[in-house]
Amino acid sequence: MTSPPRTLPVTDLSLVVLVGASGSGKSTFARRHFEPTEIISSDFCRGLVADDENDQSASRDAFDVLHYIAGKRLAAGRLTVVDATSLMIGRVQASGEASVARVERGVGARSGAVGIATV
């Protein structure tokens, strides 16, 4: 007997940060539970700036892109899911918390319920 699918209690305005080792299932989890436009992958951003998702020398620039996109999504009141290895993830969470705080104050975005979950 299989269990019924689990519902994730995530508000519309949330920053969900999926952190873990390569190959641990973060991307698969994200694709199963979130819309493609809600997910920002550090690998994808690395590919944008270096034409190679595995080029670790491009990580700083890739995370700059990731932070920019996440900030814009959160400022617009949109659910944002970050799919990243633990590399530089503290900056992602701090940046996201600052963006959510701006939304809560009503700076440049609609206000609403806010939740931050680190998975």
Side-chain angles (χ1 to χ4, degrees), residues 37-108:
T37 56
E38 296 170 335
I39 303 165
I40 308 167
S41 163
S42 61
D43 288 342
F44 179 76
C45 291
R46 204 174 286 111
L48 288 174
V49 299
D51 293 331
D52 181 356
E53 292 186 353
N54 298 309
D55 183 352
Q56 297 301 311
S57 70
S59 290
R60 180 167 298 282
D61 290 339
F63 274 88
D64 286 346
V65 170
L66 188 147
H67 294 149
Y68 181 80
I69 295 169
K72 290 296 186 181
R73 287 189 58 79
L74 290 167
R78 301 197 185 287
L79 171 62
T80 302
V81 179
V82 174
D83 173 6
T85 56
S86 60
L87 179 71
M88 299 175 74
I89 206 62
R91 281 184 55 203
V92 172
Q93 190 163 355
S95 174
E97 288 170 353
S99 294
V100 169
R102 284 192 299 276
V103 170
E104 284 180 312
R105 291 191 310 266
V107 178

Side-chain angles (χ1 to χ4, degrees), residues 6 11-12 14 31 38 76 103-104 106:
R6 187 184 300 184
T11 61
D12 288 342
S14 293
R31 283 190 305 273
E38 296 170 335
V103 170
E104 284 180 312

